[in-house]
Amino acid sequence: VRLLFINHFRNIYGLGAVLSATKASAGLPQAGDEYDFYRSFPGFQEFCESQGDGLLHCMSQIMQHHGCRSHVRDQNKLTGLEERFDLVVDSNDVILERAGILLDEADGVNRNQQPVMPAGFQPPKIVVSSWNRKGPGSGSRSETFRLLHAKNVTRPQLKFKERIDNSNTPFIPKIFIKPNARKPLPACKTSRERPEDLDVPAALADLIHQQRTQEHVDDMFAHPYQYELDHLSTQEKLLSKPEPQMYKPMAETKFSFIDSLEDLVALNEKLCKLSEFAVDLEHHSYRSFLGLTCLMQISTREEDFIIDTLELRSEMYILNEAFTDPSIVKVFHGADSDIEWLQRDFGLYVVNLFDTHQASRALNLARHSLDHLLKHFCSVDSDKRYQLADWRIRPLPDEMVQYARTDTHYLLYIYDCVKVQLLDFNHSQPGLLQSVWNKSKDISLKKYVKPIYTEESYLELQRKQKKSLNTQQLTAFRLLFAWRDKLARQEDESTGFVLPTHMMNKISEELPKEPQGIIACCNPVPPLVRQQVNELHLLVQQAREMPLLKVETKDAQKSLSVAQMKARQITESFQNPFRMVRHDQRLTLISDCILCTPTQSHFCVPLGFQYLPSKDVHVNKNAKFDPSSKIFEISKRWKLQSIEQQQKEMEAKKKAKEEAKEQARKESAKSGGKKRERVDGEVGELTPKPSKKLMKSAEKPQKTEATPQESFKPFDYSQSDLKVFAGTKSKDSTQFDPNRQDEGFKKKVFASGNRSMSFLAGKSDRGFRHNWPKR
Ligand code: AMP
Ligand code: MN
Ligand code: ZN
């Protein structure tokens, strides 16, 4: 009821109403005990039911008004509610998307270049459209709605040192130096020699290399800090009650904007000396396929920092030294996305995370947003208006700096406060607090998963539309979906920018006969649609050539869900693409795959590699390993540190072993191997063994101690081929380049003409795998 309530109001009255509705709904008795108790009063029950019915009726009217499906077929109370919830979510999508279009229209110009801007940053530009005039006949400036604009934002991607890899291949962790390691990186990460004799995309080359060198495939995709996180136990002091340390007023706090490597290195040094700091990220997703992390905010107890992560994108990884240090707490609020963005853009990982959002949940606070915590603990009214601002804007306007700082400035104090409350809540028992640490750790173990296009992906989206399409319409939807995915990857734009879903629906439903008809389905017309309207027209024509069959809704739904399950299966297989490989129509386990044998001139390609539209590979172009650079120093330090730590750990282990053995020896000597020794639990394992053997093994450690280096080879990063990252090979690159005309490959796969996209040409084109270019 609470959700329905909120959505109902959100749709009609806008923000003010949403706030009061949220408040009101938060005031409703909580599900569980409280609600059940109230429910035992017939008056309350009746009231709830009549209100609920009223709301449902009202909502279904709104949905109908917007042309959304509003009927719930399932009358069962429980599943009916689920279905209703789905309906509400879908309708919200439709309505919000429509609102977006209208805002575009109000803008008069392409929304994408007109991000939310603080007032005064730029003179407002007034666009008069058919509907945004206030009253009839009043064209005067003062009566026209005003919308604020920014100047065009240049694409930050253009400046990136590493190309973005939008290829339809699984994400491989970007880490190649691992500070604070208790377990070394797999060798494939540190010595990244790519097979030179294959003209294939980098990700695939890595995989092939791995197969050849017989390394574990799982290693390459594994979370690099899995071992460290699995073995992380919460320090005693982090489970005890702190004395909350008040934050400094923002005006009195030193602020630094970091956009040079030198400053970043200095910041890293500073962070490494602390016991905790707070972190947040700002992100942009509209003009990029995978999304871009635009800012990182860091607050210590004394200072605020904002890092320009667009500028320092390729250098950010040095922060792993502080971010993966288990003795430093990193405080985030709602870190789920942040953890993924850090991996995707910078190869950064977090060891020892505390998520205040998880704390808020454990405390059962009324709401779990940062705004609410700020209000609750710091009496700060935050203005979330900028949350969705275009964070790519540079120079960053003051208002946005202020906003971004607020996101981390108070977080360490909030961290103190929630720890106190979690302990109080539980009569000073650490259980609840420990559970928050555990939940936070689970979040830091999350792995970024790249969106993978499969031949079935469109079905998942189509199902959400809850409209039954005939075969022609469904074909159009499939072709448009594939076109949009390919173009989005190629141009590095979001799919929503290339062709919003509602426009894709409209084109599929109407199947316009003329290119102009396609344009008419889109308002405003996305630039790439306008540019490629002939291509789109051919796709629609191709769909119209399908024999027309009406897809029966019931059957369709059944078969869709089967197809969907299959799609999911396939998508899951991308977590490890070698687990399942497609041979024609069958899904086969990798053991059947001939990829592992390097002498073969053809091999089957994991599903995800069928479509490799981009020439993008991530070879680091900047010379990170110039010995004169600071980074080199740092990485050397990491190397030394990890060796040192390994040594320490090994020595500690050895010591413990020796001691145990020593004791065992003493005990056995004392008792002369009498039966009663077996009662002694601690050395029970050792006592039955003959003492000769014990003597031998006790001598062993001394030997190994003399040559400790031998056991730590994997950590010596200086032995890895770091030139790979220096980008010296760029000229005679053997990387796959779909634009190269002289390759039969391109003709076959990428230039299959306007009529159909290579990767959806269907079964007939699958043979291309066996014609992979030889060298
Ligand atoms: P925050 O954690 O609140 O600082 O948000 C980080 C980033 O997440 C923002 O820069 C946005 O890109 C994105 N974001 C946050 N809230 C929303 C939202 N309600 N809708 C879409 N994107 C959001
Ligand atoms: Mn955040
Ligand atoms: Zn933020």
Side-chain angles (χ1 to χ4, degrees):
V1 168
R2 180 169 300 149
L3 277 158
L4 296 177
F5 201 59
I6 293 171
N7 279 295
H8 163 63
F9 277 98
R10 179 195 285 168
N11 290 339
I12 318 177
Y13 300 109
L15 190 65
V18 171
L19 285 178
S20 52
T22 312
K23 235 181 229 164
S25 75
L28 290 173
Q30 296 288 322
D33 290 350
E34 210 187 331
Y35 180 69
D36 292 342
F37 171 68
Y38 280 104
R39 280 278 293 188
S40 65
F41 295 94
F44 179 82
Q45 195 172 336
E46 263 169 45
F47 177 80
C48 276
E49 255 151 40
S50 70
Q51 289 293 307
D53 287 345
L55 283 168
L56 284 173
H57 176 69
C58 192
M59 285 169 52
S60 101
Q61 282 191 325
I62 295 169
M63 291 180 195
Q64 272 165 20
H65 174 77
H66 285 279
C68 308
R69 194 168 72 86
S70 64
H71 293 293
V72 180
R73 248 176 287 111
D74 196 344
Q75 288 306 322
N76 178 314
K77 274 236 154 162
L78 268 175
T79 52
L81 190 64
E82 241 169 62
E83 201 182 329
R84 272 189 194 126
F85 186 79
D86 272 358
L87 280 179
V88 172
V89 172
D90 290 348
S91 308
N92 267 345
D93 285 352
V94 170
I95 292 164
L96 290 175
E97 206 161 336
R98 198 160 291 162
I101 301 167
L102 293 175
L103 281 172
D104 275 351
E105 193 186 326
D107 272 7
V109 205
N110 192 346
R111 155 173 64 163
N112 325 308
Q113 288 148 12
Q114 313 295 338
V116 179
M117 283 301 298
F121 185 66
Q122 187 134 13
K125 184 173 147 197
I126 291 143
V127 182
V128 183
S129 184
S130 52
W131 62 270
N132 64 0
R133 230 167 269 160
K134 243 185 179 173
S138 66
S140 78
R141 288 180 73 106
S142 58
E143 283 181 61
T144 308
F145 288 91
R146 279 156 184 267
L147 289 163
L148 300 180
H149 297 301
K151 63 182 174 195
N152 290 354
V153 177
T154 48
R155 292 174 67 77
Q157 292 98 313
L158 298 173
K159 283 194 307 187
F160 290 172
K161 289 167 190 158
E162 288 167 73
R163 274 230 189 109
I164 286 175
D165 179 12
N166 292 336
S167 65
N168 198 31
T169 53
F171 177 76
I172 298 175
K174 276 185 170 185
I175 189 167
F176 50 90
I177 292 179
K178 183 177 168 183
N180 302 302
R182 291 176 65 182
K183 190 184 168 192
L185 275 182
C188 58
K189 291 276 168 203
T190 47
S191 64
R192 264 172 93 172
E193 288 166 34
R194 294 219 171 99
E196 298 292 306
D197 55 339
L198 281 170
D199 206 355
V200 295
L204 183 52
D206 281 348
L207 289 169
I208 294 165
H209 171 63
Q210 225 191 354
Q211 287 293 306
R212 288 181 176 180
T213 51
Q214 302 286 302
E215 277 163 5
H216 272 293
V217 176
D218 288 339
D219 279 356
M220 183 161 241
F221 295 95
H223 190 299
Y225 283 89
Q226 179 89 41
Y227 180 87
E228 286 76 6
L229 284 163
D230 286 345
H231 291 81
L232 178 71
S233 49
T234 317
Q235 290 167 273
E236 204 64 37
K237 65 172 183 193
L238 299 180
L239 289 171
S240 59
K241 203 183 273 190
E243 187 62 46
Q245 188 179 336
M246 196 53 176
Y247 51 85
K248 274 168 107 180
M250 201 127 112
E252 293 165 27
T253 306
K254 187 180 168 199
F255 167 71
S256 320
F257 188 80
I258 310 255
D259 57 0
S260 73
L261 176 57
E262 204 163 24
D263 289 350
L264 186 68
V265 169
L267 172 60
N268 179 55
E269 308 273 299
K270 207 175 251 176
L271 295 177
C272 284
K273 293 189 190 106
L274 298 173
S275 53
E276 71 261 307
F277 58 86
V279 186
D280 187 39
L281 303 174
E282 300 305 328
H283 185 259
H284 177 88
S285 58
Y286 193 53
R287 300 303 307 273
S288 143
F289 183 71
L290 298 172
L292 307 168
T293 306
C294 301
L295 291 183
M296 179 186 283
Q297 304 101 286
I298 291 181
S299 289
T300 69
R301 299 273 181 187
E302 302 295 325
E303 287 181 73
D304 295 331
F305 302 89
I306 292 185
I307 308 172
D308 184 347
T309 55
L310 295 174
E311 191 66 38
L312 293 171
R313 186 180 163 96
S314 310
E315 282 77 39
M316 289 297 288
Y317 74 96
I318 69 166
L319 293 181
N320 259 338
E321 194 176 19
F323 275 53
T324 62
D325 186 334
S327 65
I328 306 173
V329 177
K330 274 68 67 174
V331 183
F332 283 66
H333 181 84
D336 303 68
S337 311
D338 305 50
I339 291 296
E340 295 187 18
W341 297 338
L342 288 172
Q343 293 177 28
R344 182 196 61 196
D345 292 348
F346 317 126
L348 279 174
Y349 294 84
V350 181
V351 176
N352 207 3
L353 168 72
F354 187 92
D355 190 331
T356 51
H357 177 251
Q358 293 304 329
S360 170
R361 297 188 83 93
L363 286 170
N364 220 347
L365 298 183
R367 273 165 288 143
H368 308 309
S369 64
L370 180 60
D371 320 25
H372 183 247
L373 294 187
L374 283 171
K375 183 91 190 142
H376 188 82
F377 291 109
C378 315
S379 307
V380 169
D381 277 308
S382 67
D383 174 5
K384 274 278 163 190
R385 243 182 335 156
Y386 290 110
Q387 189 172 49
L388 297 178
D390 190 331
W391 289 102
R392 299 172 304 163
I393 297 167
R394 298 290 180 277
L396 202 61
D398 281 346
E399 290 91 331
M400 288 169 75
V401 169
Q402 276 318 100
Y403 169 84
R405 276 180 74 181
T406 315
D407 268 354
T408 53
H409 182 80
Y410 304 94
L411 215 47
L412 289 178
Y413 174 70
I414 291 176
Y415 162 65
D416 292 343
C417 293
V418 293
K419 275 206 294 188
V420 169
Q421 288 206 352
L422 284 164
L423 288 166
D424 285 347
F425 208 80
N426 217 20
H427 312 288
S428 294
Q429 292 300 302
L432 197 61
L433 178 53
Q434 181 65 62
S435 79
V436 174
W437 284 109
N438 294 345
K439 290 226 166 84
S440 302
K441 193 204 292 195
D442 288 344
I443 292 172
S444 55
L445 275 165
K446 275 183 79 169
K447 276 165 58 181
Y448 173 67
V449 178
K450 213 164 138 184
I452 293 296
Y453 174 91
T454 71
E455 283 173 34
E456 280 86 3
S457 329
Y458 77 100
L459 287 173
E460 205 150 332
L461 180 63
Q462 207 285 318
R463 199 194 68 92
K464 284 193 198 143
Q465 315 304 313
K466 299 219 161 98
K467 270 186 188 150
S468 59
L469 301 179
N470 64 36
T471 43
Q472 294 185 350
Q473 291 168 325
L474 196 60
T475 305
F477 189 87
R478 173 169 64 86
L479 296 175
L480 291 171
F481 182 91
W483 171 83
R484 167 173 102 158
D485 182 86
K486 183 190 176 194
L487 206 59
R489 289 176 194 268
Q490 204 170 287
E491 301 294 319
D492 198 17
E493 299 283 3
S494 65
T495 50
F497 174 80
V498 176
L499 176 62
T501 304
H502 68 274
M503 295 184 191
M504 196 159 84
N505 284 331
K506 190 126 196 264
I507 301 171
S508 312
E509 276 165 38
E510 299 195 358
L511 296 171
K513 287 204 174 84
E514 306 295 327
Q516 202 45 47
I518 291 171
I519 299 286
C521 287
C522 308
N523 182 21
V525 187
L528 291 165
V529 168
R530 193 181 291 284
Q531 198 183 49
Q532 301 215 6
V533 68
N534 290 327
E535 183 109 359
L536 286 169
H537 178 232
L538 287 167
L539 293 179
V540 174
Q541 263 189 350
Q542 191 184 329
R544 293 178 74 96
E545 282 162 18
M546 291 291 287
L548 188 58
L549 293 171
K550 179 136 175 55
V551 182
E552 274 301 313
T553 3
K554 260 196 181 168
D555 288 346
Q557 286 219 332
K558 247 192 212 161
S559 67
L560 283 187
S561 57
V562 170
Q564 214 200 339
M565 267 171 54
K566 202 169 135 208
R568 196 162 298 147
Q569 239 176 20
I570 293 167
T571 316
E572 274 162 13
S573 77
F574 283 112
Q575 314 277 337
N576 178 350
F578 279 90
R579 208 161 281 151
M580 218 181 261
V581 176
R582 191 170 204 148
H583 293 269
D584 298 310
Q585 288 297 65
R586 285 172 302 122
L587 287 171
T588 320
L589 287 178
I590 186 61
S591 52
D592 298 341
C593 181
I594 49 172
L595 182 58
C596 324
T597 47
T599 47
Q600 294 282 357
S601 58
H602 65 261
F603 47 81
C604 34
V605 177
L607 257 181
F609 294 108
Q610 286 183 15
Y611 158 45
L612 299 155
S614 107
K615 49 246 166 229
D616 302 344
V617 290
H618 43 89
V619 172
N620 210 328
K621 294 261 157 50
N622 59 329
K624 278 176 184 165
F625 297 97
D626 169 5
S628 64
S629 76
K630 283 215 169 85
I631 289 187
F632 186 78
E633 242 172 68
I634 288 176
S635 56
K636 233 172 59 188
R637 201 167 72 216
W638 287 348
K639 188 185 79 191
L640 293 176
Q641 266 184 359
S642 30
I643 290 173
E644 214 175 290
Q645 202 185 338
Q646 277 276 311
Q647 278 177 345
K648 264 189 216 155
E649 269 173 31
M650 285 284 284
E651 266 159 35
K653 257 190 215 159
K654 258 186 250 155
K655 220 174 174 184
K657 245 192 206 164
E658 262 178 81
E659 272 170 15
K661 279 172 189 162
E662 183 69 20
Q663 205 190 344
R665 205 172 42 178
K666 270 189 208 158
E667 297 273 319
S668 67
K670 206 166 55 183
S671 63
K674 274 174 199 163
K675 268 180 195 168
R676 117 187 106 80
E677 273 311 303
R678 287 178 186 259
V679 191
D680 196 331
E682 266 190 314
V683 288
E685 253 183 292
L686 293 167
T687 40
K689 288 179 184 168
S691 50
K692 249 191 204 170
K693 219 176 192 177
L694 283 174
M695 293 291 278
K696 243 189 190 172
S697 54
E699 281 163 21
K700 249 187 195 165
Q702 284 173 328
K703 255 189 203 167
T704 40
E705 240 169 16
T707 53
Q709 267 86 348
E710 269 174 24
S711 22
F712 308 117
K713 256 181 192 154
F715 283 93
D716 191 354
Y717 291 105
S718 65
Q719 289 183 4
S720 18
D721 177 19
L722 300 171
K723 270 178 271 165
V724 180
F725 299 100
T728 46
K729 285 179 192 160
S730 57
K731 258 185 202 160
D732 55 352
S733 163
T734 53
Q735 301 305 347
F736 170 76
D737 179 3
N739 293 322
R740 242 187 278 172
Q741 289 296 329
D742 56 342
E743 304 260 310
F745 177 79
K746 190 207 156 166
K747 254 193 239 150
K748 264 223 153 91
V749 183
F750 290 95
S752 49
N754 290 336
R755 270 189 62 86
S756 68
M757 312 311 297
S758 57
F759 50 94
L760 47 95
K763 286 100 215 172
S764 58
D765 247 4
R766 283 219 187 91
F768 84 83
R769 289 192 308 275
H770 303 293
N771 294 309
W772 201 278
K774 291 171 225 166
R775 286 180 55 88

